[in-house]
Amino acid sequence: MVALHPMTKIIAVANQKGGVGKTTSAVNVAACLAAAEKKVLLIDADPQGNATSGLGINRHSLAKCIYDILLGEDNIRNVRRETGLKHLHCLPAKIDLLGAELELINYPQRETILKRALEKVAGEYDFVIIDCPPSLGLITLNALTAANSVLVPLQCEYYAMEGLSHLLHTIKLVRTSLNPDLALEGIVLTMFDARNNLSGQVASDIQKHFGQKVFKTIIPRNVTLSEAPSHGKAIIEYNIRSRGAQSYLKLAKEILRNVKNSTR
């Protein structure tokens, strides 16, 4: 399967376990890449629409959202929205998206709808970041089929490994049947609490088990990161000096380095 455009990198941010910092990571990685003057499209593929509101877009006043794209009723150029950051667009979501899973069941080639929609904006973006829903349904399948790679946020807690094995199994199935080139971009450890022994133990276990596939940057548990979405801002707009902002800027640098190394 060919990438959309040689210059466009599509990363699905996925973990079917909720509350692991998935949307926080999708929004802030997208924002930090945009701050590095990369053209970025953040796709909110989660019916909760938290990435949408986290960038200051009012979900309730949206005439159209990603739902209209998946049902083939509109195109990305018409539905995407500008954000407070110059190089960042958002393809928003609202609660309507909940119905899409059921409505798409009888669609032909339903797993490749998002991939085909993205082909029409090929070359307009350096990065497309997809915030997947916290489930492994048809919308997540669309994201994984469209993506070049998967970034997995993983909370430093006891059951972390359990959810990860399910997701890695799904990635393997998608590779077999829909997207042979899908790679693991990496695992990013989130909500790390240095005062908590368990956080350290989980981080150490994951690093031992996955080695190079774990990003060096660890995202700390940080109050400012939790506050930023309620102000409709990415962390670098809300408080660039915070530990959370500095961590996501470092993570974005790692991602850019990975891309540079893979294109050599």
Side-chain angles (χ1 to χ4, degrees):
M1 195 170 287
V2 187
L4 267 190
H5 184 274
M7 301 307 287
T8 306
K9 169 95 174 175
I10 305 170
I11 303 175
V13 182
N15 191 329
Q16 78 280 13
K17 194 173 180 305
V20 297
K22 178 183 59 62
T23 298
T24 300
S25 294
V27 167
N28 290 307
V29 163
C32 291
L33 290 169
E37 301 197 340
K38 301 295 175 187
K39 289 183 180 137
V40 185
L41 174 65
L42 174 66
I43 297 180
D44 190 349
D46 187 340
Q48 294 173 84
N50 290 339
T52 301
S53 58
L55 284 172
I57 298 165
N58 185 345
R59 291 186 308 239
H60 308 294
S61 66
L62 288 171
K64 300 205 164 174
C65 73
I66 186 177
Y67 171 86
D68 301 276
I69 308 295
L70 293 172
L71 267 63
E73 289 168 6
D74 215 323
N75 65 62
I76 290 173
R77 282 193 189 98
N78 287 340
V79 180
R80 67 190 175 188
R81 302 285 294 264
E82 290 185 351
T83 69
L85 289 158
K86 186 181 173 187
H87 298 290
L88 179 62
H89 284 162
C90 176
L91 183 60
K94 54 181 179 173
I95 204 75
D96 292 16
L97 190 55
L98 272 176
E101 297 263 348
L102 283 173
E103 291 177 61
L104 290 172
I105 280 171
N106 297 316
Y107 272 51
Q109 297 178 298
R110 58 187 181 268
E111 299 91 354
T112 58
I113 295 168
L114 185 58
K115 179 180 183 288
R116 283 178 276 133
L118 277 167
E119 279 163 1
K120 291 172 184 152
V121 292
E124 290 183 32
Y125 296 102
D126 300 301
F127 286 91
V128 176
I129 307 290
I130 310 172
D131 183 28
C132 296
S135 65
L136 295 175
L138 199 47
I139 294 172
T140 298
L141 212 49
N142 260 272
L144 296 178
T145 303
N148 304 116
S149 63
V150 188
L151 186 147
V152 185
L154 202 67
Q155 190 178 353
C156 295
E157 55 148 50
Y158 185 66
Y159 291 112
M161 288 288 274
E162 206 173 88
L164 182 58
S165 60
H166 289 306
L167 181 61
L168 294 176
H169 180 63
T170 303
I171 291 170
K172 202 182 280 182
L173 291 176
V174 170
R175 269 194 206 124
T176 309
S177 55
L178 294 162
N179 183 359
D181 298 327
L182 184 64
L184 179 62
E185 184 68 28
I187 295 162
V188 58
L189 297 166
T190 61
M191 301 182 181
F192 182 82
D193 185 348
R195 298 161 304 176
N196 182 334
N197 289 339
L198 183 61
S199 265
Q201 186 58 54
V202 171
S204 163
D205 289 351
I206 301 280
Q207 284 157 342
K208 213 174 288 172
H209 199 274
F210 291 98
Q212 295 294 308
K213 279 298 174 190
V214 184
F215 284 102
K216 289 182 178 65
T217 305
I218 293 178
I219 309 299
R221 193 175 280 284
N222 181 248
V223 175
T224 320
L225 271 177
S226 316
E227 288 171 356
S230 64
H231 295 267
K233 290 181 174 179
I235 188 67
I236 56 167
E237 298 173 279
Y238 181 63
N239 182 351
I240 198 161
R241 290 192 182 86
S242 66
R243 280 170 63 231
Q246 293 303 310
S247 300
Y248 276 111
L249 284 165
K250 277 186 198 155
L251 179 60
K253 273 184 191 158
E254 277 197 73
I255 291 169
L256 287 167
R257 208 175 302 127
N258 286 356
V259 171
K260 202 173 175 183
N261 292 341
S262 67
T263 51
R264 272 181 184 163

